[in-house]
């Protein structure tokens, strides 16, 4: 289709729409987050100056405790030495008691030996028997007693079986003969008795 001169051609859509100005995409500097201003730092608290008086008091207290500990240690050492001395004295006293208790026995043995030269057998026997009784009495004062369990059940805590009897000697497992006496002091065995035992 031909247009005549003097007529204007129709404008296309692009020509009809006025051109919009391009949007400025540059970010506004004022809208950006600004770095926070640093808060003023408070000065670090300084350590308190040491209390000289408190230190002196603590040192004096430590010296006091040290002196007390030294006194306690010295007292303990003295107590230990005294205790050792007491035990030694007690042991020596026990030995003196035993020796004193045996002196009369020794005297009677010497008298018996002196009399044996001019005495008969009966007189010698009587003297020895008296000496034996005196020794038994001295041992009893010390708490020493014989272990005499003839006919009783054999006890290995008190006796030592060195011979074996027969079924005719008594009840099975009993002591049928004492070959050597045993002795006890209070509840302590000084010497086990040597015995003959009936087999089970």
């Amino acid at each position: 289709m031909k247009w005549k001169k003097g007529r204007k051609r129709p404008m296309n859509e692009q020509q009809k729409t006025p051109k919009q100005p391009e949007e400025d995409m540059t970010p506004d500097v004022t809208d950006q987050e600004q770095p926070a201003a640093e808060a003023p730092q408070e000065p670090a608290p300084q350590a308190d100056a040491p209390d000289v008086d408190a230190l002196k008091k603590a040192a004096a207290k430590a010296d006091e405790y040290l002196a007390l500990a030294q006194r306690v240690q010295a007292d303990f050492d003295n107590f230990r030495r005294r205790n050792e001395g007491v035990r030694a004295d007690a042991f020596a006293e026990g030995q003196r008691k035993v020796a004193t208790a045996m002196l009369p026995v020794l005297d009677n043995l010497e008298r018996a030996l002196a009399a044996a030269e001019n005495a008969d057998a009966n007189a010698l026997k009587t003297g020895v028997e008296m000496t034996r009784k005196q020794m038994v009495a001295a041992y009893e004062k010390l708490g020493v007693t014989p272990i005499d369990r003839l006919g009783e059940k054999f006890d290995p805590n008190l006796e030592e079986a060195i011979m074996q009897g027969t079924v005719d000697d008594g009840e099975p497992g009993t002591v049928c003969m004492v070959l050597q006496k045993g002795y006890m002091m209070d509840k302590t065995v000084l010497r086990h008795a040597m015995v003959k035992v009936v087999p089970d």
Side-chain angles (χ1 to χ4, degrees), residues 61-173:
K61 205 67 176 177
D63 293 339
E64 181 181 349
Y65 288 148
L66 177 60
L68 177 61
Q70 290 173 343
R71 286 196 299 271
V72 171
Q73 182 65 38
D75 291 341
F76 177 76
D77 292 339
N78 293 333
F79 169 77
R80 183 177 57 186
R81 284 192 290 268
R82 286 196 302 269
N83 192 34
E84 290 175 354
V86 169
R87 287 188 297 176
D89 292 342
F91 182 75
E93 180 65 20
Q95 289 180 317
R96 287 192 291 270
K97 286 183 178 181
V98 173
T100 303
M102 295 297 109
L103 288 177
V105 178
L106 180 60
D107 294 338
N108 283 336
L109 285 174
E110 290 176 350
R111 293 190 188 100
L113 290 174
E117 296 179 358
N118 301 321
D120 56 14
N122 290 331
L124 181 60
K125 180 180 178 181
T126 301
V128 172
E129 183 63 27
M130 290 178 59
T131 303
R132 176 187 172 278
K133 288 181 179 180
Q134 195 169 18
M135 180 171 285
V136 170
Y139 271 124
E140 288 178 350
K141 288 181 180 179
L142 297 173
V144 178
T145 56
I147 299 174
D148 186 6
R149 302 180 66 256
L150 184 63
E152 297 186 27
K153 195 74 173 178
F154 171 74
D155 186 352
N157 295 318
L158 302 175
E159 297 143 344
E160 181 180 353
I162 60 173
M163 290 184 65
Q164 183 173 334
T166 64
V167 293
D168 297 331
D169 291 332
E171 294 293 328

Side-chain angles (χ1 to χ4, degrees), residues 35-57:
E38 294 183 357
Q41 296 182 353
E42 296 182 359
Q46 296 182 354
D48 295 337
D51 190 343
V52 178
D53 292 337
L55 292 177
K56 289 182 178 179
K57 290 180 180 179

